[in-house]
Amino acid sequence: MPAALLEAAGLACEAGGHRILDGVDLTVDRGDLVGVIGPNGAGKTTLLRAVCGLIAPAAGRIDIDGRPLAGLRPVERARRIAFMSQDTSQAFAFTVTEVLLMARYPWLARFEGETDADRERARRALVYVGLAGFEDRSFTDLSGGERQLVMFARVLVQDTEVIALDEPSSSLDIRHQDRVFSMARELARERRAVVASVHDLDAASRWCTHLVLLDRGRVAATGSPEAVLRSGNLDPVYGVRTLVSGNAAAGGLSVAVMPERLPDRGLRVHLVGGAGSAVNLTRELLRLGCEVTGGIAHEHDSDEKLWRSVGVEHCAVGAF
């Protein structure tokens, strides 16, 4: 079997005498958009920085297309892997075009300047991310979301097979968040390998082909979004009680945090529901501490799936 485009095995990283990653495995092949999820401090950014060669691991191996990452010269590594940091600060007031053209450095010969083709590539990348006309704007004058879009465009300008995105949508509104993830998915469809750290679990379920759930530097679960985004996996890692349900409108899964139950008021409520009409009321009644029963409902109806997932006693009949 051919080697995966990006593969890490037994990866361990340390900082300040503390082990940040411990025995992490990661595989990202052409066509994959792998989402790395987990709470703050789980090691997501450290993992991305390690597989890009920005920090040296304490143990384990990292291979790019079957070749050890440590054996690549920096310029070779920069031609294979692009990294988008969540830190978009700049010490100097470079223009947007200048920031983008920095990504062409690995492809230039010594003392060679950027060509008209490089500038056209930068212009097209700006148009693609929705920032046409920003070429001469000062990067430091942009909003946080605009800076993130510029940094995503810079990844495109660098033109690598492997792309690592660290929280690519953290400063973006919902429209631009959706745009960034759709662009990342398009890059994967171009036979590139994309790995991204993601906080929004709903977005991760819609856009990612695989997920890796980190818990204090270790892999708690890995696989398809449907296999990883389960309450049994999420609750002990995030320290909350979650409800995972299908999102019929947007596709993928919806992960909600169930509020702490209020003291039991002794109220018993039976919900008939149907076609999802009892979903919100079920959640609210459970939050208030009511004893809830449900049905009759058809199997695989939205209400029936919710009642089954949260353990509500109910009566179900075959799908209509």
Side-chain angles (χ1 to χ4, degrees), residues 240-297:
V240 294
R241 192 163 60 99
T242 62
L243 174 64
V244 182
S245 55
N247 190 330
L253 300 172
S254 178
V255 181
V257 176
M258 297 293 288
E260 293 295 329
R261 294 171 66 95
L262 298 180
D264 190 350
R265 299 180 180 180
L267 187 64
R268 300 180 61 187
V269 180
H270 180 83
L271 298 177
V272 177
S277 60
V279 167
N280 288 340
L281 189 54
T282 298
R283 291 169 175 163
E284 182 66 13
L285 290 173
L286 290 176
R287 187 185 72 83
L288 294 174
C290 298
E291 181 182 347
V292 179
T293 57
I296 301 173

Side-chain angles (χ1 to χ4, degrees), residues 9 68 76 90 94 97 99 119 124 133 166 182 187 201 205 233 256 262 265 284 303 308 315:
E76 292 177 312
Q90 278 282 353
F94 293 110
T97 297
V99 170
R119 295 182 181 278
R124 289 199 308 267
D166 190 14
S182 67
L187 291 173
L201 301 183
S205 76
N233 294 329
L262 298 180
R265 299 180 180 180
E284 182 66 13
D303 294 326
R308 179 160 27 92
C315 181

Side-chain angles (χ1 to χ4, degrees), residues 119-141:
R119 295 182 181 278
E120 177 61 18
R121 184 188 293 269
R123 188 194 67 79
R124 289 199 308 267
L126 274 184
V127 172
Y128 182 63
V129 301
L131 295 181
F134 277 59
E135 290 84 352
D136 298 323
R137 294 271 299 271
S138 172
F139 185 80
T140 55
D141 291 340

